[in-house]
Amino acid sequence: MIRVVFNQKGGVGKSTISTNLAAQSAVAGQRTLLVDLDAQGNSTHYAGVNVSEDSLTVSDLFKQVAGWFSSPRPPADFVQATPFDNLFVLPSHPGLADIERELESRYKMFKLKEALHTLQSEFDQIVIDTPPNFNFYSKAALIAADRFIIPFDCDDFSVQAIGRLLDNVMELKEDHNRDLILEGIVINQFNSQARLPASLVTQLKAQELPVLEPYLSSSVKVKESHSAQTPLPYYAPSHKVAKQIAALFSGLHQP
């Protein structure tokens, strides 16, 4: 199962949701790979992996498929263990931004799919975190994935952006990945006491979009887990948001 978390809008909790869903999968006993395609590397850091100059990263994997390595290494060589059982990371690197134009000009969008399909025999679940725009890496992730999830952070701009996002993804689906399934929209930073979030969720449902439950509440505990480089299912498993993540994960399609 390859699942991508994607939204063209930044600041919607994409990396937080990606990392915590991957961690919940690992807690459930599934060998899980988190792929971080965002040059900022937030998921890599959140999962407890610190990249050094000697680390092999997803940037090196892409350089290899573009022909910059003389002798290719297997995709498994780029995977790093995290401090947590069953959770592994294909880490990000700032160099992703530098090589994007070259990769796109050589039309290497299908190379990630080839690499991840090779790794599927070693992992029960693969979760991909993407950049906050519809660029080469987001397209490569959507081409590689079986399903995708859209994080939604309950502001009016997010509702407007959902339509544009779906137009882009559906065009890519038609051209490059007809089996891609929209699994649903994850409501993040939800405040049940405020009127606007409930109104926006109602708008999404009125458009017959699949809204996943439970909604993820806003909590300082999530920020604390970021600082500790420990995903919430490990950092505070009995916390309300950790239980929401567990329930959300259990409702997703399982391999």
Side-chain angles (χ1 to χ4, degrees):
M1 169 64 64
I2 302 176
R3 177 176 286 116
V4 60
V5 179
F6 173 60
N7 194 323
Q8 295 170 172
K9 182 176 182 291
V12 296
K14 182 174 49 56
S15 296
T16 298
I17 291 168
S18 301
T19 308
N20 281 319
L21 284 178
Q24 186 60 45
S25 173
V27 166
Q30 300 190 51
R31 189 174 166 89
T32 305
L33 175 63
L34 175 63
V35 180
D36 188 355
L37 294 182
D38 190 342
Q40 297 178 79
N42 291 333
S43 290
T44 300
H45 183 266
Y46 191 16
V49 171
N50 295 308
V51 175
S52 70
E53 291 184 2
D54 297 327
S55 300
L56 287 174
T57 70
V58 71
S59 178
D60 297 309
L61 176 63
F62 276 115
K63 287 178 182 178
Q64 173 175 277
V65 300
W68 291 315
F69 280 14
S70 57
S71 54
R73 304 178 68 154
D77 283 1
F78 301 87
V79 173
Q80 293 191 31
T82 73
F84 313 105
D85 289 345
N86 294 321
L87 183 61
F88 299 81
V89 172
L90 185 51
S92 178
H93 188 276
L96 283 171
D98 299 328
I99 62 174
E100 180 182 358
R101 182 175 297 179
E102 180 75 13
L103 290 166
E104 191 154 27
S105 69
R106 297 189 183 196
Y107 206 70
K108 297 295 184 179
M109 285 192 299
F110 288 87
K111 293 301 183 179
L112 179 67
K113 179 176 182 177
E114 293 175 11
L116 295 186
H117 281 209
T118 299
L119 290 169
Q120 271 191 299
S121 61
E122 301 182 33
F123 295 97
D124 302 304
Q125 297 259 7
I126 298 176
V127 180
I128 310 175
D129 184 19
T130 53
N133 44 56
F134 195 57
N135 67 2
F136 170 86
Y137 299 113
S138 300
K139 293 173 186 176
L142 290 161
I143 288 170
D146 302 304
R147 293 169 177 260
F148 75 103
I149 286 172
I150 303 171
F152 178 86
D153 70 344
C154 292
D155 72 49
D156 192 41
F157 293 108
S158 287
V159 173
Q160 297 172 25
I162 291 289
R164 295 191 295 273
L165 182 155
L166 290 174
D167 286 343
N168 286 336
V169 175
M170 290 305 111
E171 183 176 358
L172 182 140
K173 170 184 168 76
E174 180 68 22
D175 292 341
H176 301 304
N177 185 3
R178 291 178 179 267
D179 295 328
L180 182 65
I181 294 171
L182 170 59
E183 196 156 20
I185 298 172
V186 175
I187 306 301
N188 192 36
Q189 301 285 333
F190 185 75
N191 181 354
S192 60
Q193 304 301 314
R195 292 183 180 180
L196 180 61
S199 172
L200 295 176
V201 171
T202 299
Q203 290 180 42
L204 292 175
K205 291 182 176 180
Q207 297 175 40
E208 299 185 347
L209 294 171
V211 177
L212 301 173
E213 294 187 9
Y215 309 154
L216 302 182
S217 303
S218 177
S219 172
V220 69
K221 189 65 71 173
V222 176
K223 295 180 180 178
E224 289 177 5
S225 71
H226 289 166
S227 180
Q229 288 190 263
T230 305
L232 206 59
Y234 303 104
Y235 184 75
S238 62
H239 189 268
K240 176 178 67 173
V241 180
K243 291 180 179 179
Q244 291 168 347
I245 291 165
L248 178 66
F249 175 77
S250 68
L252 299 177
H253 179 78
Q254 302 299 321

